[in-house]
Amino acid sequence: MTVLAVFNQKGGVGKTTTTANLAAAMARNGMAPLVIDLDPQAHLTALSGLNPSAKRSVYAFFQHGTPLSELVVQLSNGVNLIPSHMELSRVDMTLTQTRHDLRRLKKAMAEEMLAEGATVLIDCCPMLGVLSLSALMACNAVLVPVTAEYLAMNGALQLDQTLKGMTSMGQYRPRKVFINRYQRGHPTSEKVAAELTRRYGKEFCRTRVFESQSVLEGIGQNQDVFSYAPDSEGAEDFSYLLDELIETGFLKVAA
């Protein structure tokens, strides 16, 4: 099965909405995904309508060694979520970038067999610290959302260097890049799409997730796009993205 880190070294590119809506698409297809909110801003947790205490969030795993399986919350849309809390920001200050600390998440997931029979999505914070590096160590693939603007593309290029560094240490992670909030015919959208196609080739998804009012409105209602507007173009885009990730073998699913 796949442990997928959703990451770009720039904020505001749609990592959280991608994680939420891709997980919802998986749940609708009977895949029972597990999502870990590893961002101290806890936007994914809030989007899911949750407001847990620190001791009922992933912070408790890092701070107190609470088993991850004890922190899982089942959402009404069929997604299982390990929520976040703003106290998680302390982890980057208290833990070090040593092999032991960076492998804690990967080790716990393996020991608790959390990826057995389920796809795991990790919503990462944009800062390259202990949390994001822990996600990169725990995952076996990286999905990179890039909004159709230049600074988001620069964040993806910075991530290229991070992944190259991991590869040099024997920690290769395949990646897929996709364009988010795309506007057909908009000059910047078209230029960014062309540059991503040139730079990433087969690593760049054919699927383009368009700028979508239904996705934005769903966030305002603490709902994924499938719960808010299942027949919308936004829901269709994320369904296509999931199909492409499966068809290309990037996302492994149970037979």
Side-chain angles (χ1 to χ4, degrees):
M1 302 301 290
T2 304
V3 179
L4 194 64
V6 182
F7 189 35
N8 184 322
Q9 286 180 231
K10 182 187 180 304
V13 298
K15 293 185 297 295
T16 295
T17 53
T18 294
T19 305
N21 289 312
L22 195 58
M26 292 176 185
R28 285 171 65 89
N29 283 273
M31 296 172 61
L34 171 65
V35 176
I36 303 175
D37 187 354
L38 213 59
D39 188 341
Q41 295 181 91
H43 288 164
L44 180 60
T45 299
L47 191 158
S48 302
L50 301 179
N51 184 27
S53 64
K55 67 181 181 180
R56 297 306 307 160
S57 75
V58 72
Y59 173 72
F61 162 74
F62 286 102
Q63 185 67 16
H64 306 296
T66 303
L68 292 168
S69 56
E70 293 184 9
L71 302 171
V72 176
V73 178
Q74 186 169 30
L75 306 180
S76 59
N77 63 359
V79 173
N80 296 302
L81 172 67
I82 297 178
S84 185
H85 190 276
M86 63 181 181
E87 288 292 312
L88 188 61
S89 61
R90 295 176 180 269
V91 170
D92 273 314
M93 296 183 287
T94 57
L95 297 184
T96 63
Q97 293 186 14
T98 62
R99 178 175 296 186
H100 171 75
D101 283 340
L102 295 182
R103 289 180 178 271
R104 284 179 61 184
L105 181 62
K106 179 181 179 70
K107 183 173 182 289
M109 290 174 61
E111 290 176 346
E112 298 183 50
M113 297 185 291
L114 293 183
E116 294 295 320
T119 298
V120 180
L121 299 178
I122 305 176
D123 185 24
C124 301
C125 64
M127 185 178 71
L128 189 63
V130 171
L131 293 172
S132 292
L133 288 171
S134 295
L136 292 176
M137 293 297 291
C139 77
N140 48 36
V142 184
L143 181 64
V144 188
V146 179
T147 45
E149 47 97 10
Y150 296 115
L151 291 178
M153 187 164 58
N154 289 339
L157 299 181
Q158 291 172 10
L159 178 57
D160 290 349
Q161 298 305 312
T162 300
L163 295 179
K164 284 180 181 177
M166 291 185 65
T167 298
S168 69
M169 296 185 293
Q171 299 291 331
Y172 170 70
R173 298 293 185 270
R175 71 175 161 216
K176 280 283 190 180
V177 178
F178 79 95
I179 195 165
N180 192 25
R181 299 189 207 141
Y182 173 76
Q183 298 179 63
R184 182 181 288 110
H186 189 282
T188 300
S189 284
E190 298 297 352
K191 287 179 181 178
V192 170
E195 177 60 21
L196 291 173
T197 300
R198 183 193 69 79
R199 179 171 291 273
Y200 293 105
K202 292 182 179 179
E203 292 181 322
F204 182 52
C205 292
R206 301 185 308 274
T207 302
R208 299 181 181 187
V209 175
F210 286 77
E211 185 78 51
S212 171
Q213 192 64 29
S214 58
V215 171
L216 295 176
E217 290 175 355
I219 292 171
Q221 299 295 320
N222 291 335
Q223 291 183 310
D224 64 84
V225 70
F226 296 94
S227 299
Y228 180 76
D231 298 321
S232 65
E233 290 184 358
E236 187 176 70
D237 287 345
F238 280 103
S239 291
Y240 286 153
L241 179 60
L242 175 60
D243 289 344
E244 180 175 351
L245 296 178
I246 294 173
E247 289 169 3
T248 57
F250 184 74
L251 199 158
K252 311 295 184 184
V253 298

